[in-house]
Amino acid sequence: MSESIYILGIESSCDDTSAAVIFNGKVLSNVVANQEVHAKYGGVVPELASRAHQQNIVPVVQQALEQANVGKEQLSAIAFTRGPGLMGSLLVGTSFAKSLALGLAIPLIDVNHMQAHILAHFIDDKNSKKPTFPFICLTISGGHTQIVKVTNHFEMEVLGETIDDAVGEAFDKSAKILGLPYPGGPLIDKYAQLGNPKAYQFTKPKVGDLDFSFSGLKTGILYFIQKQQRINPNFINENLNDICASIQYTIVEILMDKLKNAVKETGIKQIAIAGGVSANSAIRERLLLAEKHFGWTTYIPKFEYTTDNAAMIAITGYLKYLNNTYADVSVTAQARLKVVE
């Protein structure tokens, strides 16, 4: 490619402010400012999140440009997260991206956050393989659990999704029941590696072949812990590793069952994962085992492209730029946005 395309990506859908610069599909910088303020509240506080974005966005963008060694006058376009996410947080990124694109007189590209999680697989990285079309993507995060059939970069179909809570919530709420700090998902993963996954059995929800439900599982875990604590007040402390391993095993089994159903229904054996929960070690292990057992080809993103980050926004912007798909300056943030919108 003779043309030099520099895309600045801006991500501000939840509590992380991120900016990245991509050059012809390669990541030059990917800066993320985390917000520690939410930990003491046990979850993200929207008002505090949007205030922190306002403080972080200018230094984060500046740092991304400096790390990439790119001047803003070299940028070809600016891509930003339009939704889904927290409205206040999205507005900060949207307003900033619009203003900067107008000031530099370059195209503005709106990005669907859920599509970006999937398209992170197309970042040009010599250490990771890109999926071939069509493929199935299991998108798992704090707010979403979906099985998506991906026919090309911008043709996607949701085959199944959660009817209540997302898998990330199931991990975090289970951790809260166990008295672990927020965010608890990574801690469950950590302790689970030291425990017996078959120590305790939890009932899997009965829903459609490709749909998910986690609210019943969370309630089941809560009742189980309450019952055991009545018998032995130290039950959690004495059995933490085994409890975490059993919870994680059950959740991963649910995810794998649905993926097997999706493969059976579609005949597609190219399987990718995306979203923050795809950083979970047990899910990664099971997918690699599935390659051997079921003949799947699995695509697992690098850790830094699983959680909310601007590199995935920038690569989506780059693909849309090649497609001449730009946004009008009248574009607005949308808190609720489906993966196919």
Side-chain angles (χ1 to χ4, degrees):
M1 189 186 295
S2 56
E3 195 184 351
S4 293
I5 302 168
Y6 290 96
I7 306 286
L8 171 67
I10 293 169
E11 153 61 18
S12 70
S13 65
C14 190
D15 61 331
D16 291 341
T17 315
S18 183
V21 178
I22 272 188
F23 169 66
N24 290 356
K26 284 189 171 66
V27 176
L28 300 182
S29 64
N30 187 30
V31 178
V32 182
N34 303 109
Q35 297 180 6
E36 305 297 329
V37 67
H38 306 285
K40 64 180 174 186
Y41 298 104
V44 177
V45 182
E47 172 65 20
L48 295 177
S50 52
R51 279 191 213 166
H53 282 302
Q54 287 173 331
Q55 291 168 343
N56 292 338
I57 196 155
V58 173
V60 163
V61 169
Q62 183 70 30
Q63 203 179 330
L65 290 167
E66 282 173 7
Q67 269 186 27
N69 201 19
V70 170
K72 53 185 185 294
E73 66 286 344
Q74 290 174 265
L75 295 173
S76 311
I78 293 168
F80 70 97
T81 303
R82 178 184 168 209
L86 300 173
M87 196 61 186
S89 297
L90 289 167
L91 283 170
V92 177
T94 305
S95 308
F96 184 87
K98 277 188 193 183
S99 309
L100 192 55
L102 269 173
L104 297 171
I106 56 174
L108 181 69
I109 300 169
D110 63 312
V111 171
N112 180 316
H113 181 85
M114 297 311 296
Q115 284 184 7
H117 269 304
I118 295 168
L119 296 175
H121 282 279
F122 294 93
I123 288 168
D124 192 350
D125 187 311
K126 61 180 184 296
N127 298 320
S128 52
K129 53 187 180 178
K130 294 177 189 173
T132 52
F133 299 114
F135 67 92
I136 284 168
C137 190
L138 174 66
T139 311
I140 40 180
S141 68
H144 298 85
T145 305
Q146 297 175 328
I147 294 176
V148 182
K149 179 184 169 188
V150 187
T151 306
N152 62 45
H153 291 131
F154 297 107
E155 191 183 331
M156 302 180 186
E157 180 193 351
V158 177
L159 301 179
E161 58 191 331
T162 181
I163 59 170
D164 43 54
D165 302 332
V167 65
E169 291 173 89
F171 273 116
D172 285 340
K173 293 281 169 57
S174 300
K176 196 172 183 178
I177 291 165
L178 298 175
L180 299 174
Y182 174 88
L187 291 171
I188 286 189
D189 189 6
K190 180 183 159 187
Y191 296 124
Q193 292 175 47
L194 306 167
N196 171 12
K198 306 261 179 92
Y200 308 105
Q201 279 195 318
F202 299 107
T203 308
K204 288 190 210 169
K206 289 179 173 59
V207 284
D209 284 353
L210 300 178
D211 287 325
F212 299 88
S213 169
F214 291 102
S215 66
L217 176 66
K218 287 190 322 194
T219 307
I221 291 165
L222 175 66
Y223 289 167
F224 168 77
I225 294 296
Q226 287 175 339
K227 183 183 172 187
Q228 295 300 326
Q229 282 188 303
R230 281 196 293 272
I231 300 163
N232 171 14
N234 293 320
F235 176 73
I236 293 175
N237 288 340
E238 289 169 12
N239 302 281
L240 184 62
N241 296 341
D242 285 351
I243 301 166
C244 288
S246 302
I247 290 170
Q248 181 157 287
Y249 176 79
T250 307
I251 291 173
V252 174
E253 281 294 298
I254 292 166
L255 296 175
M256 290 305 294
D257 286 349
K258 302 299 181 178
L259 271 180
K260 286 178 209 167
N261 291 343
V263 171
K264 199 169 160 187
E265 240 173 76
T266 62
I268 297 168
K269 290 191 170 187
Q270 312 280 334
I271 309 293
I273 52 168
V277 181
S278 65
N280 180 279
S281 66
I283 293 167
R284 288 170 172 251
E285 268 171 42
R286 285 299 301 277
L287 274 178
L288 291 172
L289 277 174
E291 285 201 309
K292 296 190 184 85
H293 284 296
F294 310 120
W296 296 359
T297 307
T298 58
Y299 303 90
I300 300 171
K302 285 174 104 172
F303 280 111
E304 60 260 43
Y305 304 141
T306 55
T307 50
D308 293 349
N309 69 90
M312 69 183 198
I313 305 302
I315 192 66
T316 308
Y318 173 69
L319 294 167
K320 289 182 100 167
Y321 183 88
L322 295 179
N323 212 25
N324 293 317
T325 311
Y326 307 134
D328 190 80
V329 77
S330 63
V331 67
T332 53
Q334 281 191 265
R336 293 183 179 275
L337 196 62
K338 291 189 165 65
V339 73
V340 288
E341 285 184 277

